[in-house]
PDB file of all heavy atoms in Angstrom:
ATOM      1  N   VAL A  22      76.114  99.606  60.251  1.00 97.00           N
ATOM      2  CA  VAL A  22      75.533 100.508  61.376  1.00 97.00           C
ATOM      3  C   VAL A  22      74.578  99.757  62.168  1.00 97.00           C
ATOM      4  O   VAL A  22      73.587  99.288  61.631  1.00 97.00           O
ATOM      5  CB  VAL A  22      74.853 101.797  60.753  1.00 97.00           C
ATOM      6  CG1 VAL A  22      74.492 102.644  61.952  1.00 97.00           C
ATOM      7  CG2 VAL A  22      75.821 102.541  59.768  1.00 97.00           C
ATOM      8  N   ARG A  23      74.868  99.448  63.473  1.00 96.00           N
ATOM      9  CA  ARG A  23      74.118  98.716  64.249  1.00 96.00           C
ATOM     10  C   ARG A  23      73.110  99.427  65.173  1.00 96.00           C
ATOM     11  O   ARG A  23      73.497 100.518  65.743  1.00 96.00           O
ATOM     12  CB  ARG A  23      74.964  97.827  65.102  1.00 96.00           C
ATOM     13  CG  ARG A  23      75.766  96.753  64.438  1.00 96.00           C
ATOM     14  CD  ARG A  23      76.769  95.991  65.369  1.00 96.00           C
ATOM     15  NE  ARG A  23      77.401  94.885  64.845  1.00 96.00           N
ATOM     16  CZ  ARG A  23      78.530  94.887  64.062  1.00 96.00           C
ATOM     17  NH1 ARG A  23      79.062  96.121  63.847  1.00 96.00           N
ATOM     18  NH2 ARG A  23      78.996  93.885  63.516  1.00 96.00           N
ATOM     19  N   PHE A  24      71.932  99.113  65.122  1.00 94.00           N
ATOM     20  CA  PHE A  24      70.856  99.697  65.929  1.00 94.00           C
ATOM     21  C   PHE A  24      70.530  98.829  67.133  1.00 94.00           C
ATOM     22  O   PHE A  24      70.322  97.711  66.912  1.00 94.00           O
ATOM     23  CB  PHE A  24      69.643 100.016  65.039  1.00 94.00           C
ATOM     24  CG  PHE A  24      69.843 101.094  63.986  1.00 94.00           C
ATOM     25  CD1 PHE A  24      70.630 100.833  62.924  1.00 94.00           C
ATOM     26  CD2 PHE A  24      69.255 102.274  64.022  1.00 94.00           C
ATOM     27  CE1 PHE A  24      70.864 101.778  61.921  1.00 94.00           C
ATOM     28  CE2 PHE A  24      69.445 103.262  63.127  1.00 94.00           C
ATOM     29  CZ  PHE A  24      70.221 103.059  61.946  1.00 94.00           C
ATOM     30  N   ALA A  25      70.346  99.400  68.205  1.00 92.00           N
ATOM     31  CA  ALA A  25      70.047  98.668  69.523  1.00 92.00           C
ATOM     32  C   ALA A  25      68.752  99.243  70.163  1.00 92.00           C
ATOM     33  O   ALA A  25      68.534 100.350  70.141  1.00 92.00           O
ATOM     34  CB  ALA A  25      71.144  98.628  70.445  1.00 92.00           C
ATOM     35  N   SER A  26      68.184  98.356  70.945  1.00 91.00           N
ATOM     36  CA  SER A  26      66.997  98.694  71.737  1.00 91.00           C
ATOM     37  C   SER A  26      67.398  99.623  72.796  1.00 91.00           C
ATOM     38  O   SER A  26      68.559  99.591  73.453  1.00 91.00           O
ATOM     39  CB  SER A  26      66.168  97.516  72.247  1.00 91.00           C
ATOM     40  OG  SER A  26      65.864  96.633  71.165  1.00 91.00           O
ATOM     41  N   LEU A  27      66.383 100.499  73.252  1.00 89.00           N
ATOM     42  CA  LEU A  27      66.598 101.307  74.467  1.00 89.00           C
ATOM     43  C   LEU A  27      66.526 100.524  75.666  1.00 89.00           C
ATOM     44  O   LEU A  27      65.695  99.545  75.756  1.00 89.00           O
ATOM     45  CB  LEU A  27      65.661 102.451  74.467  1.00 89.00           C
ATOM     46  CG  LEU A  27      65.955 103.638  73.572  1.00 89.00           C
ATOM     47  CD1 LEU A  27      64.704 104.522  73.606  1.00 89.00           C
ATOM     48  CD2 LEU A  27      67.135 104.361  73.973  1.00 89.00           C
ATOM     49  N   PRO A  28      67.164 100.881  76.802  1.00 91.00           N
ATOM     50  CA  PRO A  28      66.753 100.315  78.113  1.00 91.00           C
ATOM     51  C   PRO A  28      65.253 100.553  78.318  1.00 91.00           C
ATOM     52  O   PRO A  28      64.753 101.637  78.166  1.00 91.00           O
ATOM     53  CB  PRO A  28      67.629 100.940  79.172  1.00 91.00           C
ATOM     54  CG  PRO A  28      68.799 101.405  78.303  1.00 91.00           C
ATOM     55  CD  PRO A  28      68.317 101.728  76.937  1.00 91.00           C
ATOM     56  N   LYS A  29      64.614  99.531  78.919  1.00 92.00           N
ATOM     57  CA  LYS A  29      63.089  99.548  78.950  1.00 92.00           C
ATOM     58  C   LYS A  29      62.705 100.831  79.940  1.00 92.00           C
ATOM     59  O   LYS A  29      61.674 101.455  79.488  1.00 92.00           O
ATOM     60  CB  LYS A  29      62.505  98.322  79.498  1.00 92.00           C
ATOM     61  CG  LYS A  29      62.830  97.100  78.650  1.00 92.00           C
ATOM     62  CD  LYS A  29      62.222  95.836  79.205  1.00 92.00           C
ATOM     63  CE  LYS A  29      62.616  94.577  78.376  1.00 92.00           C
ATOM     64  NZ  LYS A  29      64.013  94.261  78.490  1.00 92.00           N
ATOM     65  N   ASP A  30      63.419 101.031  80.987  1.00 91.00           N
ATOM     66  CA  ASP A  30      63.010 102.123  81.811  1.00 91.00           C
ATOM     67  C   ASP A  30      63.149 103.416  81.238  1.00 91.00           C
ATOM     68  O   ASP A  30      62.464 104.434  81.436  1.00 91.00           O
ATOM     69  CB  ASP A  30      63.685 102.103  83.211  1.00 91.00           C
ATOM     70  CG  ASP A  30      65.207 102.080  82.990  1.00 91.00           C
ATOM     71  OD1 ASP A  30      65.669 101.902  81.866  1.00 91.00           O
ATOM     72  OD2 ASP A  30      66.064 102.240  84.101  1.00 91.00           O
ATOM     73  N   GLU A  31      64.279 103.586  80.352  1.00 91.00           N
ATOM     74  CA  GLU A  31      64.480 104.858  79.553  1.00 91.00           C
ATOM     75  C   GLU A  31      63.459 105.067  78.511  1.00 91.00           C
ATOM     76  O   GLU A  31      62.897 106.210  78.400  1.00 91.00           O
ATOM     77  CB  GLU A  31      65.889 104.766  78.857  1.00 91.00           C
ATOM     78  CG  GLU A  31      66.220 106.099  78.131  1.00 91.00           C
ATOM     79  CD  GLU A  31      67.638 105.952  77.524  1.00 91.00           C
ATOM     80  OE1 GLU A  31      68.386 105.120  77.865  1.00 91.00           O
ATOM     81  OE2 GLU A  31      67.797 106.758  76.540  1.00 91.00           O
ATOM     82  N   LEU A  32      63.021 104.033  77.834  1.00 92.00           N
ATOM     83  CA  LEU A  32      61.940 104.225  76.950  1.00 92.00           C
ATOM     84  C   LEU A  32      60.627 104.560  77.621  1.00 92.00           C
ATOM     85  O   LEU A  32      59.889 105.454  77.181  1.00 92.00           O
ATOM     86  CB  LEU A  32      61.729 102.889  76.095  1.00 92.00           C
ATOM     87  CG  LEU A  32      60.524 102.893  75.159  1.00 92.00           C
ATOM     88  CD1 LEU A  32      60.608 104.120  74.248  1.00 92.00           C
ATOM     89  CD2 LEU A  32      60.434 101.527  74.308  1.00 92.00           C
ATOM     90  N   GLY A  33      60.395 103.862  78.796  1.00 93.00           N
ATOM     91  CA  GLY A  33      59.215 104.290  79.571  1.00 93.00           C
ATOM     92  C   GLY A  33      59.169 105.667  79.936  1.00 93.00           C
ATOM     93  O   GLY A  33      58.138 106.526  79.800  1.00 93.00           O
ATOM     94  N   ARG A  34      60.356 106.310  80.353  1.00 93.00           N
ATOM     95  CA  ARG A  34      60.345 107.722  80.794  1.00 93.00           C
ATOM     96  C   ARG A  34      60.189 108.609  79.614  1.00 93.00           C
ATOM     97  O   ARG A  34      59.617 109.634  79.568  1.00 93.00           O
ATOM     98  CB  ARG A  34      61.840 107.978  81.417  1.00 93.00           C
ATOM     99  CG  ARG A  34      61.843 107.509  82.756  1.00 93.00           C
ATOM    100  CD  ARG A  34      63.127 108.179  83.411  1.00 93.00           C
ATOM    101  NE  ARG A  34      64.397 107.786  82.926  1.00 93.00           N
ATOM    102  CZ  ARG A  34      65.050 106.738  83.027  1.00 93.00           C
ATOM    103  NH1 ARG A  34      64.690 105.928  83.848  1.00 93.00           N
ATOM    104  NH2 ARG A  34      66.219 106.459  82.395  1.00 93.00           N
ATOM    105  N   MET A  35      60.755 108.199  78.410  1.00 91.00           N
ATOM    106  CA  MET A  35      60.657 109.091  77.172  1.00 91.00           C
ATOM    107  C   MET A  35      59.057 109.107  76.852  1.00 91.00           C
ATOM    108  O   MET A  35      58.664 110.207  76.353  1.00 91.00           O
ATOM    109  CB  MET A  35      61.419 108.426  76.077  1.00 91.00           C
ATOM    110  CG  MET A  35      61.613 109.153  74.813  1.00 91.00           C
ATOM    111  SD  MET A  35      62.562 108.297  73.546  1.00 91.00           S
ATOM    112  CE  MET A  35      64.213 108.450  74.435  1.00 91.00           C
ATOM    113  N   LEU A  36      58.390 107.950  76.880  1.00 93.00           N
ATOM    114  CA  LEU A  36      57.047 107.907  76.541  1.00 93.00           C
ATOM    115  C   LEU A  36      56.166 108.845  77.433  1.00 93.00           C
ATOM    116  O   LEU A  36      55.216 109.438  76.963  1.00 93.00           O
ATOM    117  CB  LEU A  36      56.459 106.481  76.555  1.00 93.00           C
ATOM    118  CG  LEU A  36      57.115 105.503  75.458  1.00 93.00           C
ATOM    119  CD1 LEU A  36      56.578 104.079  75.681  1.00 93.00           C
ATOM    120  CD2 LEU A  36      56.702 105.994  74.037  1.00 93.00           C
ATOM    121  N   VAL A  37      56.511 108.970  78.758  1.00 94.00           N
ATOM    122  CA  VAL A  37      55.823 109.840  79.501  1.00 94.00           C
ATOM    123  C   VAL A  37      56.300 111.157  79.269  1.00 94.00           C
ATOM    124  O   VAL A  37      55.403 112.053  79.185  1.00 94.00           O
ATOM    125  CB  VAL A  37      56.079 109.475  80.951  1.00 94.00           C
ATOM    126  CG1 VAL A  37      55.582 110.497  82.031  1.00 94.00           C
ATOM    127  CG2 VAL A  37      55.563 108.056  81.365  1.00 94.00           C
ATOM    128  N   GLN A  38      57.518 111.632  79.272  1.00 91.00           N
ATOM    129  CA  GLN A  38      57.896 112.966  79.250  1.00 91.00           C
ATOM    130  C   GLN A  38      57.774 113.519  77.833  1.00 91.00           C
ATOM    131  O   GLN A  38      57.524 114.815  77.752  1.00 91.00           O
ATOM    132  CB  GLN A  38      59.407 113.077  79.611  1.00 91.00           C
ATOM    133  CG  GLN A  38      59.615 112.607  81.118  1.00 91.00           C
ATOM    134  CD  GLN A  38      61.153 112.467  81.425  1.00 91.00           C
ATOM    135  OE1 GLN A  38      62.041 112.703  80.587  1.00 91.00           O
ATOM    136  NE2 GLN A  38      61.389 112.025  82.777  1.00 91.00           N
ATOM    137  N   GLU A  39      57.980 112.830  76.769  1.00 88.00           N
ATOM    138  CA  GLU A  39      58.036 113.503  75.458  1.00 88.00           C
ATOM    139  C   GLU A  39      56.701 113.188  74.676  1.00 88.00           C
ATOM    140  O   GLU A  39      56.355 113.817  73.693  1.00 88.00           O
ATOM    141  CB  GLU A  39      59.236 113.014  74.704  1.00 88.00           C
ATOM    142  CG  GLU A  39      60.521 113.414  75.384  1.00 88.00           C
ATOM    143  CD  GLU A  39      61.707 112.928  74.395  1.00 88.00           C
ATOM    144  OE1 GLU A  39      61.460 112.696  73.270  1.00 88.00           O
ATOM    145  OE2 GLU A  39      62.825 112.953  74.998  1.00 88.00           O
ATOM    146  N   HIS A  40      55.875 112.123  75.107  1.00 89.00           N
ATOM    147  CA  HIS A  40      54.692 111.840  74.312  1.00 89.00           C
ATOM    148  C   HIS A  40      53.444 111.825  75.249  1.00 89.00           C
ATOM    149  O   HIS A  40      52.385 111.555  74.739  1.00 89.00           O
ATOM    150  CB  HIS A  40      54.944 110.440  73.744  1.00 89.00           C
ATOM    151  CG  HIS A  40      56.039 110.381  72.643  1.00 89.00           C
ATOM    152  ND1 HIS A  40      55.879 110.922  71.468  1.00 89.00           N
ATOM    153  CD2 HIS A  40      57.331 109.982  72.942  1.00 89.00           C
ATOM    154  CE1 HIS A  40      56.970 110.705  70.770  1.00 89.00           C
ATOM    155  NE2 HIS A  40      57.871 110.180  71.649  1.00 89.00           N
ATOM    156  N   GLY A  41      53.654 112.295  76.506  1.00 92.00           N
ATOM    157  CA  GLY A  41      52.470 112.389  77.378  1.00 92.00           C
ATOM    158  C   GLY A  41      51.615 111.134  77.708  1.00 92.00           C
ATOM    159  O   GLY A  41      50.518 111.283  78.189  1.00 92.00           O
ATOM    160  N   LEU A  42      52.317 109.999  77.752  1.00 93.00           N
ATOM    161  CA  LEU A  42      51.507 108.843  78.021  1.00 93.00           C
ATOM    162  C   LEU A  42      51.588 108.685  79.484  1.00 93.00           C
ATOM    163  O   LEU A  42      52.282 109.067  80.260  1.00 93.00           O
ATOM    164  CB  LEU A  42      52.183 107.562  77.447  1.00 93.00           C
ATOM    165  CG  LEU A  42      52.299 107.549  75.859  1.00 93.00           C
ATOM    166  CD1 LEU A  42      52.787 106.235  75.478  1.00 93.00           C
ATOM    167  CD2 LEU A  42      51.064 108.036  75.140  1.00 93.00           C
ATOM    168  N   ASP A  43      50.379 107.968  80.058  1.00 92.00           N
ATOM    169  CA  ASP A  43      50.388 107.719  81.483  1.00 92.00           C
ATOM    170  C   ASP A  43      51.226 106.561  81.813  1.00 92.00           C
ATOM    171  O   ASP A  43      51.800 105.861  80.972  1.00 92.00           O
ATOM    172  CB  ASP A  43      48.963 107.492  81.946  1.00 92.00           C
ATOM    173  CG  ASP A  43      48.338 106.307  81.270  1.00 92.00           C
ATOM    174  OD1 ASP A  43      49.052 105.152  80.984  1.00 92.00           O
ATOM    175  OD2 ASP A  43      47.017 106.163  81.053  1.00 92.00           O
ATOM    176  N   GLY A  44      51.408 106.357  83.157  1.00 90.00           N
ATOM    177  CA  GLY A  44      52.398 105.422  83.743  1.00 90.00           C
ATOM    178  C   GLY A  44      52.091 103.997  83.173  1.00 90.00           C
ATOM    179  O   GLY A  44      52.972 103.319  82.709  1.00 90.00           O
ATOM    180  N   PRO A  45      50.850 103.506  83.459  1.00 92.00           N
ATOM    181  CA  PRO A  45      50.543 102.119  83.043  1.00 92.00           C
ATOM    182  C   PRO A  45      50.830 101.856  81.525  1.00 92.00           C
ATOM    183  O   PRO A  45      51.409 100.729  81.090  1.00 92.00           O
ATOM    184  CB  PRO A  45      49.220 101.854  83.422  1.00 92.00           C
ATOM    185  CG  PRO A  45      48.888 102.843  84.550  1.00 92.00           C
ATOM    186  CD  PRO A  45      49.782 104.094  84.154  1.00 92.00           C
ATOM    187  N   LEU A  46      50.347 102.777  80.753  1.00 94.00           N
ATOM    188  CA  LEU A  46      50.665 102.475  79.207  1.00 94.00           C
ATOM    189  C   LEU A  46      51.913 102.672  78.828  1.00 94.00           C
ATOM    190  O   LEU A  46      52.534 101.707  78.108  1.00 94.00           O
ATOM    191  CB  LEU A  46      49.641 103.642  78.476  1.00 94.00           C
ATOM    192  CG  LEU A  46      49.787 103.562  76.935  1.00 94.00           C
ATOM    193  CD1 LEU A  46      49.450 102.174  76.460  1.00 94.00           C
ATOM    194  CD2 LEU A  46      48.888 104.639  76.371  1.00 94.00           C
ATOM    195  N   SER A  47      52.737 103.585  79.417  1.00 94.00           N
ATOM    196  CA  SER A  47      54.156 103.789  79.049  1.00 94.00           C
ATOM    197  C   SER A  47      54.980 102.491  79.548  1.00 94.00           C
ATOM    198  O   SER A  47      55.891 101.964  78.765  1.00 94.00           O
ATOM    199  CB  SER A  47      54.687 104.896  79.524  1.00 94.00           C
ATOM    200  OG  SER A  47      54.661 104.970  81.060  1.00 94.00           O
ATOM    201  N   HIS A  48      54.619 102.018  80.573  1.00 95.00           N
ATOM    202  CA  HIS A  48      55.319 100.801  81.184  1.00 95.00           C
ATOM    203  C   HIS A  48      55.051  99.639  80.283  1.00 95.00           C
ATOM    204  O   HIS A  48      55.980  98.929  79.899  1.00 95.00           O
ATOM    205  CB  HIS A  48      54.914 100.494  82.638  1.00 95.00           C
ATOM    206  CG  HIS A  48      55.511  99.215  83.186  1.00 95.00           C
ATOM    207  ND1 HIS A  48      56.642  99.226  83.866  1.00 95.00           N
ATOM    208  CD2 HIS A  48      55.127  97.896  82.935  1.00 95.00           C
ATOM    209  CE1 HIS A  48      56.982  98.038  84.225  1.00 95.00           C
ATOM    210  NE2 HIS A  48      56.044  97.301  83.654  1.00 95.00           N
ATOM    211  N   TYR A  49      53.786  99.429  80.034  1.00 95.00           N
ATOM    212  CA  TYR A  49      53.434  98.255  79.172  1.00 95.00           C
ATOM    213  C   TYR A  49      54.111  98.391  77.766  1.00 95.00           C
ATOM    214  O   TYR A  49      54.698  97.319  77.232  1.00 95.00           O
ATOM    215  CB  TYR A  49      51.912  98.182  78.821  1.00 95.00           C
ATOM    216  CG  TYR A  49      51.499  97.007  77.888  1.00 95.00           C
ATOM    217  CD1 TYR A  49      51.652  95.736  78.258  1.00 95.00           C
ATOM    218  CD2 TYR A  49      51.089  97.424  76.622  1.00 95.00           C
ATOM    219  CE1 TYR A  49      51.338  94.709  77.311  1.00 95.00           C
ATOM    220  CE2 TYR A  49      50.737  96.513  75.822  1.00 95.00           C
ATOM    221  CZ  TYR A  49      50.916  95.123  76.122  1.00 95.00           C
ATOM    222  OH  TYR A  49      50.520  94.045  75.247  1.00 95.00           O
ATOM    223  N   LEU A  50      54.081  99.432  77.080  1.00 95.00           N
ATOM    224  CA  LEU A  50      54.747  99.616  75.759  1.00 95.00           C
ATOM    225  C   LEU A  50      56.157  99.387  75.857  1.00 95.00           C
ATOM    226  O   LEU A  50      56.822  98.719  74.979  1.00 95.00           O
ATOM    227  CB  LEU A  50      54.343 101.018  75.177  1.00 95.00           C
ATOM    228  CG  LEU A  50      52.960 101.258  74.642  1.00 95.00           C
ATOM    229  CD1 LEU A  50      52.716 102.707  74.286  1.00 95.00           C
ATOM    230  CD2 LEU A  50      52.589 100.256  73.505  1.00 95.00           C
ATOM    231  N   ALA A  51      56.967 100.080  76.833  1.00 94.00           N
ATOM    232  CA  ALA A  51      58.317  99.911  76.955  1.00 94.00           C
ATOM    233  C   ALA A  51      58.742  98.453  77.133  1.00 94.00           C
ATOM    234  O   ALA A  51      59.755  97.994  76.561  1.00 94.00           O
ATOM    235  CB  ALA A  51      58.845 100.739  78.215  1.00 94.00           C
ATOM    236  N   TYR A  52      57.913  97.586  78.005  1.00 94.00           N
ATOM    237  CA  TYR A  52      58.270  96.274  78.253  1.00 94.00           C
ATOM    238  C   TYR A  52      57.810  95.337  77.213  1.00 94.00           C
ATOM    239  O   TYR A  52      58.542  94.406  76.841  1.00 94.00           O
ATOM    240  CB  TYR A  52      57.799  95.876  79.625  1.00 94.00           C
ATOM    241  CG  TYR A  52      58.779  96.313  80.782  1.00 94.00           C
ATOM    242  CD1 TYR A  52      58.730  97.610  81.132  1.00 94.00           C
ATOM    243  CD2 TYR A  52      59.670  95.482  81.286  1.00 94.00           C
ATOM    244  CE1 TYR A  52      59.603  98.094  82.159  1.00 94.00           C
ATOM    245  CE2 TYR A  52      60.483  95.879  82.336  1.00 94.00           C
ATOM    246  CZ  TYR A  52      60.560  97.188  82.712  1.00 94.00           C
ATOM    247  OH  TYR A  52      61.382  97.672  83.622  1.00 94.00           O
ATOM    248  N   PHE A  53      56.672  95.523  76.749  1.00 94.00           N
ATOM    249  CA  PHE A  53      56.097  94.553  75.633  1.00 94.00           C
ATOM    250  C   PHE A  53      56.883  94.796  74.327  1.00 94.00           C
ATOM    251  O   PHE A  53      57.044  93.850  73.705  1.00 94.00           O
ATOM    252  CB  PHE A  53      54.619  94.930  75.403  1.00 94.00           C
ATOM    253  CG  PHE A  53      54.023  93.981  74.286  1.00 94.00           C
ATOM    254  CD1 PHE A  53      53.853  92.657  74.678  1.00 94.00           C
ATOM    255  CD2 PHE A  53      53.614  94.446  73.131  1.00 94.00           C
ATOM    256  CE1 PHE A  53      53.286  91.717  73.674  1.00 94.00           C
ATOM    257  CE2 PHE A  53      53.044  93.588  72.185  1.00 94.00           C
ATOM    258  CZ  PHE A  53      52.931  92.281  72.478  1.00 94.00           C
ATOM    259  N   CYS A  54      57.259  96.084  73.948  1.00 92.00           N
ATOM    260  CA  CYS A  54      58.062  96.286  72.742  1.00 92.00           C
ATOM    261  C   CYS A  54      59.556  96.107  73.059  1.00 92.00           C
ATOM    262  O   CYS A  54      60.352  96.236  72.139  1.00 92.00           O
ATOM    263  CB  CYS A  54      57.800  97.663  72.327  1.00 92.00           C
ATOM    264  SG  CYS A  54      56.098  98.058  71.900  1.00 92.00           S
TER     265      CYS A  54
END
């Protein structure tokens, strides 16, 4: 069973919408991770 990373922009939106992170933090986490 293969697991793949999310597109970075999708992860960034998820961190904002579902976890309440602000824009700069969500962007950094999505791209750094």
Side-chain angles (χ1 to χ4, degrees):
V22 181
R23 293 176 172 84
F24 291 69
S26 301
L27 284 171
K29 299 180 186 69
D30 56 350
E31 182 179 339
L32 176 54
R34 286 194 299 271
M35 186 181 298
L36 292 172
V37 172
Q38 296 171 2
E39 300 185 14
H40 298 277
L42 303 189
D43 61 31
L46 178 56
S47 64
H48 177 92
Y49 174 71
L50 288 174
Y52 278 77
F53 182 70
C54 297

